[in-house]
Coordinates of all heavy atoms in Angstrom, one line a residue:
N1 N 1.6 -13.3 -8.8 CA 2.7 -13.6 -9.7 C 3.8 -14.3 -8.8 O 4.2 -13.7 -7.8 CB 3.2 -12.2 -10.2 CG 4.4 -12.3 -11.1 OD1 5.2 -13.2 -11.0 ND2 4.6 -11.3 -12.0
Q2 N 4.2 -15.4 -9.3 CA 5.2 -16.2 -8.5 C 6.6 -15.4 -8.4 O 7.3 -15.7 -7.5 CB 5.4 -17.5 -9.2 CG 4.3 -18.5 -8.9 CD 4.6 -19.9 -9.5 OE1 5.2 -20.0 -10.5 NE2 4.3 -20.9 -8.7
N3 N 6.9 -14.5 -9.3 CA 8.2 -13.8 -9.2 C 8.1 -12.7 -8.1 O 9.1 -12.1 -7.8 CB 8.5 -13.2 -10.5 CG 8.8 -14.2 -11.6 OD1 9.3 -15.3 -11.2 ND2 8.4 -13.9 -12.8
R4 N 6.9 -12.4 -7.6 CA 6.8 -11.3 -6.6 C 6.1 -11.8 -5.4 O 5.1 -11.2 -4.9 CB 6.0 -10.2 -7.3 CG 6.7 -9.6 -8.5 CD 6.0 -8.4 -9.0 NE 6.4 -8.0 -10.3 CZ 7.3 -7.0 -10.5 NH1 7.9 -6.4 -9.5 NH2 7.7 -6.7 -11.7
M5 N 6.6 -12.9 -4.8 CA 6.0 -13.4 -3.6 C 6.6 -12.7 -2.4 O 7.7 -12.3 -2.4 CB 6.2 -14.9 -3.5 CG 5.5 -15.7 -4.6 SD 5.8 -17.4 -4.5 CE 5.0 -17.9 -3.0
G6 N 5.9 -12.6 -1.3 CA 6.4 -12.0 -0.1 C 5.5 -11.0 0.5 O 4.4 -10.9 0.1
A7 N 6.1 -10.1 1.3 CA 5.3 -9.1 2.0 C 4.8 -8.1 1.0 O 5.6 -7.6 0.1 CB 6.1 -8.4 3.1
D8 N 3.6 -7.7 1.0 CA 3.0 -6.9 0.0 C 3.6 -5.5 -0.1 O 3.6 -4.9 -1.2 CB 1.5 -6.8 0.1 CG 1.0 -6.4 1.5 OD1 1.8 -6.2 2.4 OD2 -0.2 -6.2 1.6
Q9 N 4.0 -4.9 1.0 CA 4.5 -3.5 1.0 C 5.8 -3.5 0.1 O 6.0 -2.6 -0.7 CB 4.8 -3.0 2.4 CG 5.1 -1.5 2.4 CD 3.9 -0.6 2.1 OE1 2.8 -1.1 2.0 NE2 4.2 0.6 1.9
A10 N 6.7 -4.4 0.3 CA 7.9 -4.5 -0.5 C 7.6 -4.7 -2.0 O 8.2 -4.1 -2.8 CB 8.8 -5.6 0.1
I11 N 6.6 -5.5 -2.2 CA 6.2 -5.8 -3.6 C 5.7 -4.5 -4.2 O 6.0 -4.2 -5.4 CB 5.2 -7.0 -3.7 CG1 5.9 -8.3 -3.2 CG2 4.7 -7.1 -5.1 CD1 4.9 -9.4 -3.0
F12 N 4.8 -3.8 -3.5 CA 4.2 -2.6 -4.0 C 5.3 -1.6 -4.4 O 5.3 -1.1 -5.5 CB 3.3 -1.9 -3.0 CG 2.9 -0.6 -3.4 CD1 1.8 -0.4 -4.3 CD2 3.5 0.6 -2.9 CE1 1.4 0.9 -4.7 CE2 3.2 1.8 -3.3 CZ 2.1 2.0 -4.2
W13 N 6.3 -1.4 -3.5 CA 7.3 -0.4 -3.8 C 8.2 -0.8 -5.0 O 8.7 0.0 -5.8 CB 8.1 0.0 -2.6 CG 7.2 0.9 -1.7 CD1 6.7 0.6 -0.5 CD2 6.9 2.2 -2.0 NE1 5.9 1.7 -0.1 CE2 6.0 2.7 -1.0 CE3 7.1 3.1 -3.1 CZ2 5.5 4.0 -1.0 CZ3 6.5 4.4 -3.1 CH2 5.7 4.8 -2.0
M14 N 8.5 -2.1 -5.1 CA 9.3 -2.6 -6.2 C 8.6 -2.3 -7.5 O 9.1 -1.8 -8.4 CB 9.5 -4.1 -6.0 CG 10.4 -4.7 -7.1 SD 10.8 -6.5 -6.8 CE 9.2 -7.2 -6.5
V15 N 7.3 -2.6 -7.6 CA 6.5 -2.4 -8.8 C 6.4 -0.9 -9.1 O 6.6 -0.4 -10.2 CB 5.1 -3.1 -8.7 CG1 4.2 -2.7 -9.9 CG2 5.2 -4.6 -8.7
F16 N 6.0 -0.2 -8.0 CA 5.8 1.3 -8.2 C 7.1 2.0 -8.6 O 7.1 2.8 -9.5 CB 5.3 1.9 -6.9 CG 4.8 3.3 -7.0 CD1 3.6 3.6 -7.7 CD2 5.5 4.3 -6.4 CE1 3.1 4.9 -7.8 CE2 5.1 5.6 -6.6 CZ 3.9 5.9 -7.3
N17 N 8.2 1.7 -8.0 CA 9.5 2.4 -8.4 C 9.9 2.0 -9.8 O 10.5 2.8 -10.5 CB 10.6 2.1 -7.3 CG 10.3 2.9 -6.1 OD1 9.7 3.9 -6.1 ND2 10.7 2.3 -4.9
D18 N 9.7 0.7 -10.1 CA 10.0 0.3 -11.5 C 9.2 1.1 -12.5 O 9.7 1.6 -13.5 CB 9.8 -1.2 -11.7 CG 10.2 -1.7 -13.1 OD1 11.3 -1.5 -13.5 OD2 9.3 -2.3 -13.7
F19 N 8.0 1.3 -12.2 CA 7.1 2.1 -13.0 C 7.5 3.5 -13.1 O 7.6 4.1 -14.2 CB 5.6 2.0 -12.4 CG 4.7 3.1 -12.8 CD1 4.4 3.4 -14.1 CD2 4.1 3.9 -11.8 CE1 3.5 4.4 -14.4 CE2 3.2 4.9 -12.0 CZ 2.9 5.2 -13.4
R20 N 7.9 4.1 -12.0 CA 8.3 5.5 -11.9 C 9.6 5.7 -12.7 O 9.8 6.7 -13.4 CB 8.5 6.0 -10.5 CG 7.2 6.1 -9.7 CD 7.5 6.7 -8.3 NE 7.9 8.0 -8.4 CZ 9.0 8.5 -7.8 NH1 9.7 7.7 -7.0 NH2 9.3 9.8 -7.9
Q21 N 10.5 4.8 -12.6 CA 11.8 4.9 -13.2 C 11.8 4.7 -14.7 O 12.7 4.9 -15.5 CB 12.8 4.0 -12.6 CG 13.1 4.4 -11.1 CD 13.9 3.4 -10.3 OE1 14.3 2.4 -10.8 NE2 14.0 3.6 -9.1
S22 N 10.6 4.2 -15.3 CA 10.5 3.9 -16.7 C 10.3 5.3 -17.4 O 10.4 5.3 -18.7 CB 9.4 3.0 -17.0 OG 8.1 3.6 -16.9
H23 N 9.9 6.3 -16.7 CA 9.6 7.7 -17.3 C 8.7 7.6 -18.5 O 8.9 8.3 -19.5 CB 11.0 8.3 -17.7 CG 11.9 8.5 -16.5 ND1 11.7 9.5 -15.5 CD2 13.0 7.8 -16.1 CE1 12.6 9.4 -14.6 NE2 13.4 8.4 -14.9
G24 N 7.7 6.8 -18.4 CA 6.7 6.7 -19.4 C 7.0 5.8 -20.6 O 6.3 5.7 -21.5
Q25 N 8.2 5.1 -20.5 CA 8.6 4.3 -21.7 C 7.9 3.0 -21.8 O 7.8 2.4 -22.8 CB 10.1 4.1 -21.6 CG 10.9 5.3 -21.7 CD 10.7 6.1 -23.0 OE1 10.7 5.5 -24.1 NE2 10.3 7.4 -22.9
K26 N 7.2 2.6 -20.7 CA 6.4 1.4 -20.7 C 5.2 1.7 -19.8 O 5.3 2.5 -18.8 CB 7.1 0.2 -20.2 CG 7.6 0.2 -18.8 CD 8.4 -1.1 -18.4 CE 8.8 -1.0 -17.0 NZ 9.5 -2.2 -16.6
E27 N 4.1 1.1 -20.2 CA 2.9 1.3 -19.4 C 3.1 0.7 -18.0 O 3.5 -0.4 -17.9 CB 1.6 0.7 -20.0 CG 0.4 1.0 -19.3 CD -0.9 0.4 -20.0 OE1 -1.2 0.9 -21.1 OE2 -1.5 -0.5 -19.5
G28 N 2.7 1.5 -17.0 CA 2.9 1.0 -15.7 C 1.7 0.2 -15.2 O 0.7 0.0 -16.0
P29 N 1.7 -0.3 -14.0 CA 0.6 -1.0 -13.4 C -0.6 -0.1 -13.4 O -0.5 1.1 -13.3 CB 1.1 -1.4 -12.0 CG 2.2 -0.5 -11.7 CD 2.8 -0.1 -13.0
W30 N -1.8 -0.7 -13.4 CA -3.0 0.0 -13.3 C -3.3 0.9 -14.5 O -4.2 1.7 -14.4 CB -3.1 0.8 -12.0 CG -2.5 0.0 -10.8 CD1 -3.0 -1.1 -10.2 CD2 -1.3 0.3 -10.1 NE1 -2.2 -1.6 -9.2 CE2 -1.1 -0.7 -9.2 CE3 -0.3 1.2 -10.3 CZ2 0.0 -0.8 -8.3 CZ3 0.8 1.2 -9.5 CH2 0.9 0.2 -8.5
G31 N -2.6 0.8 -15.6 CA -2.9 1.5 -16.8 C -2.3 2.9 -16.8 O -2.6 3.7 -17.7
F32 N -1.5 3.3 -15.9 CA -0.9 4.7 -15.8 C 0.4 4.7 -16.6 O 1.1 3.7 -16.8 CB -0.7 5.1 -14.4 CG -1.9 5.4 -13.6 CD1 -2.3 4.4 -12.7 CD2 -2.7 6.5 -13.8 CE1 -3.5 4.6 -11.9 CE2 -3.9 6.7 -13.1 CZ -4.2 5.8 -12.1
K33 N 0.7 5.9 -17.1 CA 1.9 6.1 -17.9 C 3.0 6.8 -17.0 O 4.1 6.5 -17.1 CB 1.6 6.9 -19.1 CG 2.8 7.1 -20.0 CD 2.4 7.8 -21.3 CE 3.6 7.9 -22.2 NZ 3.3 8.5 -23.5
C34 N 2.5 7.8 -16.2 CA 3.4 8.6 -15.4 C 3.0 8.6 -13.9 O 1.8 8.2 -13.6 CB 3.4 10.0 -15.8 SG 3.9 10.3 -17.5
A35 N 3.8 9.0 -13.0 CA 3.5 9.2 -11.6 C 4.0 10.6 -11.1 O 5.0 11.1 -11.6 CB 4.1 8.1 -10.8
A36 N 3.2 11.1 -10.2 CA 3.6 12.4 -9.6 C 3.4 12.2 -8.1 O 2.3 11.9 -7.6 CB 2.7 13.5 -10.0
M37 N 4.5 12.2 -7.4 CA 4.5 12.0 -5.9 C 4.2 13.3 -5.2 O 5.1 14.2 -5.2 CB 5.9 11.4 -5.5 CG 6.2 10.1 -6.1 SD 5.3 8.7 -5.4 CE 6.0 8.6 -3.7
C38 N 3.1 13.4 -4.6 CA 2.7 14.5 -3.7 C 3.1 15.9 -4.3 O 3.8 16.6 -3.7 CB 3.3 14.3 -2.3 SG 2.4 13.2 -1.3
G39 N 2.7 16.1 -5.5 CA 2.9 17.4 -6.1 C 4.3 17.6 -6.7 O 4.6 18.6 -7.2
Q40 N 5.1 16.6 -6.7 CA 6.4 16.6 -7.4 C 6.2 16.6 -8.9 O 5.1 16.3 -9.4 CB 7.3 15.5 -7.0 CG 7.7 15.5 -5.5 CD 8.6 14.3 -5.2 OE1 9.0 13.5 -6.1 NE2 8.9 14.1 -4.0
T41 N 7.2 17.0 -9.6 CA 7.1 16.9 -11.1 C 6.8 15.5 -11.6 O 7.4 14.6 -11.0 CB 8.4 17.4 -11.7 OG1 8.7 18.7 -11.2 CG2 8.4 17.5 -13.2
P42 N 5.8 15.3 -12.4 CA 5.6 14.0 -12.9 C 6.8 13.3 -13.6 O 7.7 14.0 -14.1 CB 4.5 14.2 -14.0 CG 3.9 15.5 -13.6 CD 5.0 16.3 -13.0
T43 N 6.8 12.0 -13.6 CA 7.9 11.3 -14.1 C 8.0 11.3 -15.7 O 9.0 10.9 -16.3 CB 7.9 9.8 -13.7 OG1 6.6 9.2 -14.1 CG2 8.1 9.7 -12.2
C44 N 7.0 11.8 -16.3 CA 6.9 12.0 -17.8 C 5.8 12.9 -18.1 O 5.1 13.4 -17.2 CB 6.8 10.6 -18.5 SG 5.2 9.8 -18.3
S45 N 5.6 13.2 -19.4 CA 4.6 14.0 -19.8 C 3.4 13.2 -20.4 O 3.6 12.4 -21.3 CB 5.1 15.0 -21.0 OG 4.1 15.8 -21.4
A46 N 2.3 13.3 -19.7 CA 1.1 12.5 -20.1 C -0.1 13.3 -19.6 O -0.1 14.1 -18.8 CB 1.2 11.1 -19.5
P47 N -1.3 12.9 -20.2 CA -2.5 13.5 -19.8 C -2.8 13.2 -18.3 O -2.3 12.2 -17.8 CB -3.6 12.9 -20.7 CG -2.9 12.4 -21.9 CD -1.5 12.0 -21.4
V48 N -3.6 14.1 -17.7 CA -3.9 13.9 -16.3 C -4.4 12.5 -16.0 O -4.1 11.8 -15.0 CB -4.9 15.0 -15.8 CG1 -5.5 14.7 -14.4 CG2 -4.2 16.3 -15.8
E49 N -5.3 12.0 -16.8 CA -6.0 10.7 -16.6 C -5.0 9.5 -16.7 O -5.3 8.4 -16.3 CB -7.2 10.5 -17.5 CG -6.9 10.5 -19.0 CD -6.9 11.9 -19.6 OE1 -7.1 12.9 -18.9 OE2 -6.8 11.9 -20.8
Q50 N -3.8 9.8 -17.2 CA -2.8 8.8 -17.3 C -1.6 9.0 -16.3 O -0.6 8.3 -16.4 CB -2.2 8.7 -18.8 CG -3.1 8.2 -19.8 CD -2.5 8.3 -21.2 OE1 -1.4 8.7 -21.4 NE2 -3.3 7.8 -22.2
T51 N -1.8 9.9 -15.4 CA -0.8 10.2 -14.4 C -1.4 9.9 -13.0 O -2.4 10.4 -12.6 CB -0.4 11.7 -14.5 OG1 0.1 12.0 -15.8 CG2 0.6 12.0 -13.4
L52 N -0.7 9.0 -12.4 CA -1.0 8.6 -11.0 C -0.4 9.6 -10.0 O 0.8 9.8 -10.0 CB -0.4 7.2 -10.7 CG -0.6 6.7 -9.3 CD1 -2.1 6.5 -8.9 CD2 0.1 5.4 -9.1
N53 N -1.3 10.2 -9.3 CA -0.9 11.2 -8.2 C -0.9 10.4 -6.9 O -2.0 9.9 -6.5 CB -1.8 12.4 -8.1 CG -1.6 13.3 -9.3 OD1 -0.5 13.9 -9.4 ND2 -2.6 13.5 -10.1
Y54 N 0.2 10.2 -6.3 CA 0.3 9.4 -5.1 C 1.0 10.2 -3.9 O 2.0 10.7 -4.1 CB 1.2 8.2 -5.4 CG 1.3 7.2 -4.3 CD1 0.3 6.2 -4.1 CD2 2.3 7.3 -3.4 CE1 0.4 5.3 -3.0 CE2 2.5 6.4 -2.3 CZ 1.5 5.4 -2.1 OH 1.6 4.6 -1.1
C55 N 0.3 10.1 -2.8 CA 0.9 10.7 -1.6 C 0.8 9.7 -0.5 O -0.2 9.0 -0.3 CB 0.1 11.9 -1.2 SG 0.3 13.4 -2.3
A56 N 1.9 9.6 0.3 CA 1.9 8.7 1.4 C 0.9 9.3 2.5 O 0.7 10.5 2.6 CB 3.3 8.6 2.0
M57 N 0.3 8.4 3.2 CA -0.6 8.8 4.3 C 0.1 9.0 5.6 O 1.2 8.4 5.8 CB -1.7 7.7 4.5 CG -2.6 7.6 3.3 SD -4.1 6.5 3.6 CE -3.4 5.0 3.1
D58 N -0.4 9.8 6.4 CA 0.2 10.1 7.7 C 0.4 8.7 8.5 O -0.5 8.0 8.7 CB -0.7 11.0 8.5 CG -0.3 11.2 10.0 OD1 0.7 12.0 10.2 OD2 -0.8 10.5 10.8
A59 N 1.6 8.5 8.9 CA 2.0 7.2 9.5 C 1.3 7.0 10.9 O 1.1 5.8 11.3 CB 3.5 7.1 9.7
I60 N 0.9 8.0 11.6 CA 0.3 7.8 12.9 C -1.2 7.4 12.7 O -1.7 6.5 13.4 CB 0.4 9.1 13.7 CG1 1.8 9.5 13.9 CG2 -0.3 8.9 15.1 CD1 2.7 8.5 14.7
T61 N -1.8 8.1 11.8 CA -3.3 7.8 11.5 C -3.4 6.5 10.7 O -4.5 5.9 10.8 CB -3.9 9.0 10.7 OG1 -3.6 10.2 11.4 CG2 -5.4 8.9 10.6
H62 N -2.5 6.2 9.9 CA -2.5 5.0 9.0 C -1.3 4.1 9.2 O -0.5 4.0 8.3 CB -2.7 5.4 7.6 CG -3.8 6.4 7.4 ND1 -5.1 6.0 7.3 CD2 -3.8 7.7 7.2 CE1 -5.9 7.1 7.1 NE2 -5.1 8.1 7.0
P63 N -1.1 3.5 10.4 CA 0.1 2.7 10.6 C 0.2 1.5 9.7 O -0.8 0.9 9.3 CB 0.1 2.3 12.1 CG -1.4 2.4 12.4 CD -2.0 3.5 11.5
T64 N 1.5 1.2 9.3 CA 1.7 0.1 8.4 C 2.5 -1.0 9.0 O 3.7 -1.0 8.9 CB 2.4 0.6 7.1 OG1 3.6 1.3 7.5 CG2 1.5 1.5 6.3
G65 N 1.8 -1.9 9.7 CA 2.5 -3.1 10.2 C 3.1 -2.9 11.6 O 3.8 -3.8 12.1
W66 N 2.9 -1.8 12.3 CA 3.5 -1.6 13.6 C 2.9 -2.6 14.5 O 1.7 -2.9 14.6 CB 3.2 -0.2 14.1 CG 3.7 1.0 13.3 CD1 4.4 0.9 12.2 CD2 3.4 2.3 13.6 NE1 4.6 2.2 11.7 CE2 4.0 3.1 12.6 CE3 2.7 3.0 14.6 CZ2 4.0 4.4 12.6 CZ3 2.7 4.4 14.6 CH2 3.3 5.1 13.6
E67 N 3.8 -3.2 15.4 CA 3.4 -4.2 16.3 C 2.7 -3.5 17.5 O 1.8 -4.1 18.1 CB 4.6 -4.9 16.9 CG 5.4 -5.7 15.8 CD 4.7 -6.9 15.3 OE1 3.8 -7.4 16.0 OE2 5.0 -7.3 14.2
D68 N 2.9 -2.3 17.8 CA 2.3 -1.6 19.0 C 1.4 -0.5 18.6 O 1.1 0.4 19.4 CB 3.5 -1.0 19.9 CG 4.3 0.0 19.1 OD1 4.2 0.1 17.9 OD2 5.1 0.7 19.8
A69 N 0.8 -0.6 17.4 CA -0.2 0.4 17.0 C -1.4 0.4 18.0 O -1.9 -0.7 18.4 CB -0.6 0.2 15.6
S70 N -2.0 1.5 18.3 CA -3.1 1.6 19.2 C -4.4 1.9 18.4 O -4.5 2.9 17.7 CB -2.9 2.7 20.2 OG -4.1 3.0 20.9
P71 N -5.4 1.0 18.5 CA -6.7 1.1 17.8 C -7.3 2.5 18.2 O -8.0 3.0 17.3 CB -7.5 0.0 18.3 CG -6.5 -1.1 18.7 CD -5.3 -0.3 19.3
A72 N -7.1 3.0 19.3 CA -7.7 4.3 19.7 C -7.1 5.5 18.9 O -7.7 6.5 18.9 CB -7.5 4.5 21.2
E73 N -5.9 5.2 18.3 CA -5.2 6.3 17.7 C -5.2 6.2 16.1 O -4.9 7.2 15.5 CB -3.8 6.4 18.1 CG -3.6 6.7 19.6 CD -2.2 6.7 20.1 OE1 -1.3 6.5 19.2 OE2 -2.0 6.8 21.3
F74 N -5.6 5.1 15.5 CA -5.5 5.0 14.1 C -6.9 5.0 13.4 O -7.9 4.6 14.0 CB -4.6 3.9 13.6 CG -5.0 2.5 14.0 CD1 -6.1 1.9 13.4 CD2 -4.2 1.7 14.9 CE1 -6.5 0.6 13.8 CE2 -4.6 0.5 15.2 CZ -5.7 -0.1 14.7
A75 N -6.9 5.4 12.1 CA -8.1 5.4 11.3 C -8.1 4.1 10.5 O -9.1 3.5 10.2 CB -8.2 6.6 10.4
T76 N -6.9 3.7 10.0 CA -6.8 2.5 9.2 C -5.5 1.7 9.7 O -4.7 2.3 10.4 CB -6.6 2.7 7.7 OG1 -5.3 3.4 7.5 CG2 -7.8 3.5 7.1
Y77 N -5.4 0.5 9.4 CA -4.3 -0.3 9.8 C -4.0 -1.3 8.6 O -4.9 -2.0 8.2 CB -4.5 -1.1 11.1 CG -3.3 -1.9 11.5 CD1 -2.2 -1.3 12.1 CD2 -3.2 -3.3 11.3 CE1 -1.1 -2.0 12.5 CE2 -2.1 -4.0 11.6 CZ -1.0 -3.4 12.3 OH 0.1 -4.1 12.6
H78 N -2.8 -1.3 8.2 CA -2.4 -2.3 7.1 C -1.3 -3.2 7.7 O -0.2 -2.8 8.1 CB -1.8 -1.5 5.9 CG -1.4 -2.4 4.8 ND1 -1.1 -1.9 3.6 CD2 -1.4 -3.7 4.6 CE1 -0.9 -2.8 2.7 NE2 -1.0 -4.0 3.4
A79 N -1.6 -4.5 7.9 CA -0.7 -5.4 8.5 C 0.3 -5.9 7.5 O 0.4 -7.0 7.1 CB -1.5 -6.6 9.0
N80 N 1.1 -4.9 7.0 CA 2.2 -5.3 6.1 C 3.5 -5.6 6.7 O 3.6 -5.7 7.9 CB 2.2 -4.2 5.0 CG 2.7 -2.9 5.5 OD1 2.9 -2.7 6.7 ND2 2.8 -1.9 4.7
Y81 N 4.5 -5.8 5.8 CA 5.8 -6.4 6.2 C 5.6 -7.7 6.9 O 6.3 -8.1 7.8 CB 6.5 -5.4 7.1 CG 6.9 -4.1 6.3 CD1 6.3 -2.9 6.6 CD2 7.8 -4.1 5.3 CE1 6.6 -1.8 6.0 CE2 8.2 -3.0 4.6 CZ 7.6 -1.8 5.0 OH 7.9 -0.7 4.3
A82 N 4.6 -8.5 6.4 CA 4.3 -9.8 6.9 C 3.5 -10.6 5.9 O 2.9 -10.0 5.0 CB 3.4 -9.7 8.2
T83 N 3.6 -11.9 6.0 CA 2.8 -12.7 5.0 C 2.1 -13.8 5.8 O 2.4 -14.1 6.9 CB 3.8 -13.4 4.0 OG1 4.7 -14.2 4.7 CG2 4.5 -12.5 3.2
N84 N 1.0 -14.2 5.2 CA 0.2 -15.3 5.7 C -0.2 -15.2 7.2 O -0.8 -14.2 7.6 CB 0.9 -16.7 5.4 CG 1.2 -16.8 4.0 OD1 0.4 -16.5 3.1 ND2 2.4 -17.3 3.6
E85 N 0.2 -16.2 8.0 CA -0.2 -16.2 9.4 C 0.4 -15.0 10.2 O -0.2 -14.6 11.2 CB 0.1 -17.5 10.1 CG -0.7 -18.6 9.6 CD -2.2 -18.4 9.8 OE1 -2.6 -18.0 10.9 OE2 -2.9 -18.7 8.8
A86 N 1.5 -14.5 9.7 CA 2.1 -13.3 10.4 C 1.2 -12.1 10.3 O 1.1 -11.2 11.1 CB 3.5 -13.0 9.8
K87 N 0.5 -12.0 9.1 CA -0.5 -10.9 9.0 C -1.6 -11.1 10.0 O -2.1 -10.1 10.6 CB -1.1 -10.9 7.6 CG -0.2 -10.3 6.5 CD -1.0 -10.0 5.3 CE -0.2 -9.3 4.2 NZ 0.1 -7.9 4.6
V88 N -2.1 -12.3 10.2 CA -3.2 -12.6 11.1 C -2.7 -12.2 12.5 O -3.5 -11.5 13.3 CB -3.6 -14.0 11.1 CG1 -4.6 -14.4 12.2 CG2 -4.2 -14.4 9.7
K89 N -1.5 -12.5 12.9 CA -1.0 -12.2 14.2 C -1.0 -10.7 14.4 O -1.3 -10.2 15.5 CB 0.5 -12.7 14.3 CG 1.1 -12.4 15.7 CD 2.5 -13.0 15.8 CE 3.0 -12.6 17.2 NZ 4.4 -12.9 17.3
K90 N -0.5 -9.9 13.4 CA -0.5 -8.5 13.5 C -1.9 -7.9 13.7 O -2.2 -7.0 14.5 CB 0.1 -7.8 12.3 CG 1.6 -8.0 12.3 CD 2.3 -7.2 11.2 CE 3.8 -7.2 11.3 NZ 4.5 -6.2 10.6
L91 N -2.9 -8.4 12.9 CA -4.3 -8.0 13.1 C -4.8 -8.3 14.5 O -5.6 -7.5 15.1 CB -5.1 -8.6 12.0 CG -4.9 -8.0 10.6 CD1 -5.5 -8.9 9.5 CD2 -5.3 -6.6 10.5
K92 N -4.5 -9.5 15.0 CA -4.9 -9.8 16.3 C -4.3 -8.9 17.4 O -5.0 -8.5 18.4 CB -4.5 -11.3 16.7 CG -5.4 -12.3 16.0 CD -5.0 -13.7 16.3 CE -6.0 -14.7 15.7 NZ -5.6 -16.1 15.9
N93 N -3.0 -8.5 17.2 CA -2.3 -7.7 18.2 C -3.0 -6.3 18.3 O -2.9 -5.7 19.3 CB -0.9 -7.4 17.7 CG 0.0 -8.6 18.0 OD1 -0.4 -9.5 18.8 ND2 1.2 -8.6 17.4
V94 N -3.7 -5.8 17.2 CA -4.3 -4.5 17.3 C -5.8 -4.7 17.3 O -6.6 -3.8 17.0 CB -3.9 -3.6 16.1 CG1 -2.4 -3.2 16.2 CG2 -4.2 -4.2 14.8
Q95 N -6.3 -5.9 17.8 CA -7.7 -6.2 18.0 C -8.6 -6.0 16.7 O -9.7 -5.6 16.8 CB -8.3 -5.4 19.1 CG -7.6 -5.7 20.5 CD -7.0 -4.4 21.0 OE1 -7.4 -3.3 20.8 NE2 -5.9 -4.6 21.8
L96 N -8.0 -6.3 15.5 CA -8.8 -6.1 14.3 C -9.2 -7.5 13.7 O -10.1 -7.6 12.9 CB -8.0 -5.3 13.3 CG -8.0 -3.8 13.6 CD1 -7.1 -3.1 12.6 CD2 -9.4 -3.2 13.6
W97 N -8.5 -8.5 14.1 CA -8.8 -9.9 13.5 C -10.1 -10.3 14.2 O -10.3 -10.3 15.4 CB -7.7 -10.9 13.8 CG -8.0 -12.2 13.2 CD1 -8.5 -13.3 13.8 CD2 -7.9 -12.5 11.8 NE1 -8.7 -14.3 12.8 CE2 -8.3 -13.8 11.6 CE3 -7.5 -11.8 10.7 CZ2 -8.3 -14.5 10.4 CZ3 -7.5 -12.4 9.5 CH2 -7.9 -13.8 9.3
G98 N -11.1 -10.6 13.3 CA -12.5 -10.9 13.8 C -13.4 -9.7 14.1 O -14.5 -9.8 14.6
A99 N -12.9 -8.5 13.7 CA -13.7 -7.3 14.0 C -14.9 -7.2 13.0 O -15.9 -6.5 13.4 CB -12.8 -6.0 13.9
W100 N -14.8 -7.8 11.9 CA -15.9 -7.7 10.9 C -17.1 -8.5 11.3 O -17.0 -9.7 11.6 CB -15.4 -8.1 9.5 CG -16.5 -8.1 8.5 CD1 -17.2 -9.1 7.9 CD2 -17.0 -6.9 7.9 NE1 -18.1 -8.7 7.0 CE2 -18.0 -7.3 7.0 CE3 -16.8 -5.5 8.0 CZ2 -18.7 -6.4 6.2 CZ3 -17.5 -4.6 7.2 CH2 -18.4 -5.1 6.3
D101 N -18.3 -7.8 11.4 CA -19.5 -8.5 11.7 C -20.3 -8.7 10.4 O -20.8 -7.8 9.8 CB -20.3 -7.6 12.7 CG -21.7 -8.3 13.1 OD1 -22.2 -9.1 12.3 OD2 -22.1 -7.9 14.2
E102 N -20.2 -9.9 9.9 CA -20.8 -10.3 8.6 C -22.3 -10.0 8.5 O -22.8 -9.4 7.6 CB -20.5 -11.8 8.3 CG -21.0 -12.2 7.0 CD -20.1 -11.7 5.8 OE1 -18.9 -11.5 6.1 OE2 -20.6 -11.4 4.8
S103 N -23.0 -10.3 9.6 CA -24.5 -10.1 9.6 C -24.8 -8.6 9.6 O -25.8 -8.2 8.9 CB -25.2 -10.8 10.7 OG -24.7 -10.3 12.0
A104 N -24.1 -7.8 10.3 CA -24.4 -6.4 10.4 C -23.7 -5.6 9.2 O -24.1 -4.5 8.9 CB -23.9 -5.8 11.7
G105 N -22.6 -6.2 8.6 CA -21.9 -5.5 7.5 C -21.0 -4.4 8.0 O -20.8 -3.5 7.3
V106 N -20.6 -4.4 9.3 CA -19.7 -3.4 9.9 C -18.7 -4.0 10.8 O -18.8 -5.2 11.2 CB -20.5 -2.4 10.7 CG1 -21.5 -1.6 9.8 CG2 -21.2 -3.0 11.8
C107 N -17.7 -3.2 11.1 CA -16.7 -3.6 12.1 C -17.2 -3.2 13.5 O -17.9 -2.3 13.7 CB -15.4 -3.0 11.9 SG -14.5 -3.7 10.4

C-alpha cells in the first residue's frame, strides 16, 4: 500500500492500533473483529475465532532490529526499523544474510 511505506514495525503498530481502537466497529486486518493483548480484556465482544490474541515476544530471545544482537543469544531476529538495503545491512551484522542454504533447505 503506497500510503503505508516505510519500516514494517511502525506500519504494523499503526495498523494494529487503528484496529484495536475501532472496538469492533470495523473489521480489522486479517479478518479479526477484536484484539486481546496478552490476557487483557478484549477490545470488543466477539467470538474467540474473531478475536486476535497477541502477546509480545521476549526481546532478548527475539530481538527486533538491534544492531548488536548476538546470534548465540537469540532464537529469531527481525531486521525491522529499517527498509530496503538497511534491512540487508542489519542481517549481515548478525551473520544472517546468506545463512539460508537453498539446496539443503536449512540455515
